[in-house]
Amino acid sequence: QVQLVESGGGLVQAGGSLRLSCAASGRTFSTSAMGWFRQAPGKEREFVGAKRWSPVTTYYADSVKGRFTISRDSANNTVYLQMNSLKPEDTAVYYCAAGFLGRSPGAYAYWGQGTQVTVSS
């Protein structure tokens, strides 16, 4: 099992930045990629970005490309989603997920509890 705990969400004005954290524990060696998804009220869960580190491969949704960046602190088993130039349409609950690289939620077996991001206009 892999446990994922997210933090870092909050309220920010449009144009601002937030950094989400996803701390992983457990059998992390059983997964090779981390993904980020988001879900706004009344909408389906949406792919945001994903990254595999060996070999390095990164995917981002077109809606966040150039604004969001995935990184990690290997020593602390933590993955980050740096979000810059935030827009009101980025408002959603953000989830990190561990599994195999892909854009579909089905590629990920383990999920965090979600953290709310609200961007005011």
Side-chain angles (χ1 to χ4, degrees):
Q1 294 290 322
V2 176
Q3 294 78 41
L4 303 174
V5 178
E6 296 143 355
S7 60
L11 174 63
V12 63
Q13 288 189 331
S17 298
L18 279 176
R19 188 178 75 163
L20 305 184
S21 300
C22 176
S25 60
R27 299 170 62 88
T28 56
F29 56 85
S30 66
T31 63
S32 62
M34 295 294 293
W36 287 92
F37 291 78
R38 65 188 182 187
Q39 188 165 19
K43 295 188 177 182
E44 292 187 355
R45 191 163 296 190
E46 174 189 27
F47 173 76
V48 173
K51 189 164 187 172
R52 180 182 61 197
W53 282 269
S54 181
V56 175
T57 308
T58 310
Y59 299 147
Y60 293 104
D62 288 343
S63 59
V64 307
K65 201 171 293 183
R67 300 188 297 123
F68 290 13
T69 304
I70 297 172
S71 63
R72 75 172 178 179
D73 177 351
S74 300
N76 292 308
N77 272 344
T78 300
V79 175
Y80 302 100
L81 180 66
Q82 178 67 44
M83 306 186 294
N84 298 329
S85 302
L86 283 161
K87 305 175 181 180
E89 51 263 43
D90 294 319
T91 295
V93 176
Y94 283 70
Y95 299 89
C96 66
F100 298 95
L101 189 66
R103 298 175 184 266
S104 168
Y108 302 89
Y110 304 101
W111 292 82
Q113 80 285 0
T115 186
Q116 176 70 47
V117 172
T118 303
V119 184
S120 64
S121 57

